[in-house]
Amino acid sequence: MIGLTGATGFVGRALSEELLKRNIRARFFSRSKTLTEKNFFPLDTFNSTTDWTQALSGITCIIHCAGLAG
């Protein structure tokens, strides 16, 4: 299963839509709560002590699209 960070951003949103369209198993990560997909994992705050065990269970690949645009 693919893990996609920044799933609600400019690039991440386009990629998440394409993954869904192609029925590719993915879990979507974002600080925004605008996604309603069942595999959406919202990230309120995270730091070096965040436990990622549940979020990353079954993930074999991460595509990192999260970033700060300014």
Side-chain angles (χ1 to χ4, degrees), residues 4-13 29-32 43 46 62-70:
L4 175 64
T5 67
T8 58
F10 182 74
V11 174
R13 182 181 311 270
F29 302 97
S30 178
R31 287 189 192 188
S32 172
L43 302 170
F46 57 95
I62 296 281
I63 301 174
H64 181 57
C65 293
L68 180 62

Side-chain angles (χ1 to χ4, degrees), residues 31-48:
R31 287 189 192 188
S32 172
K33 293 182 175 61
T34 59
L35 279 180
T36 59
E37 303 304 325
K38 74 177 190 173
N39 283 336
F40 174 58
F41 196 92
L43 302 170
D44 291 324
T45 59
F46 57 95
N47 57 37
S48 62

Side-chain angles (χ1 to χ4, degrees), residues 12-60:
R13 182 181 311 270
L15 183 53
S16 64
E17 289 172 2
E18 190 64 27
L19 292 171
L20 289 168
K21 184 168 60 172
R22 293 178 183 230
N23 293 317
I24 296 174
R25 292 184 62 220
R27 183 168 301 136
F28 306 106
F29 302 97
S30 178
R31 287 189 192 188
S32 172
K33 293 182 175 61
T34 59
L35 279 180
T36 59
E37 303 304 325
K38 74 177 190 173
N39 283 336
F40 174 58
F41 196 92
L43 302 170
D44 291 324
T45 59
F46 57 95
N47 57 37
S48 62
T49 64
T50 300
D51 181 1
W52 289 87
T53 306
Q54 181 182 0
L56 297 178
S57 176
I59 300 292
T60 57

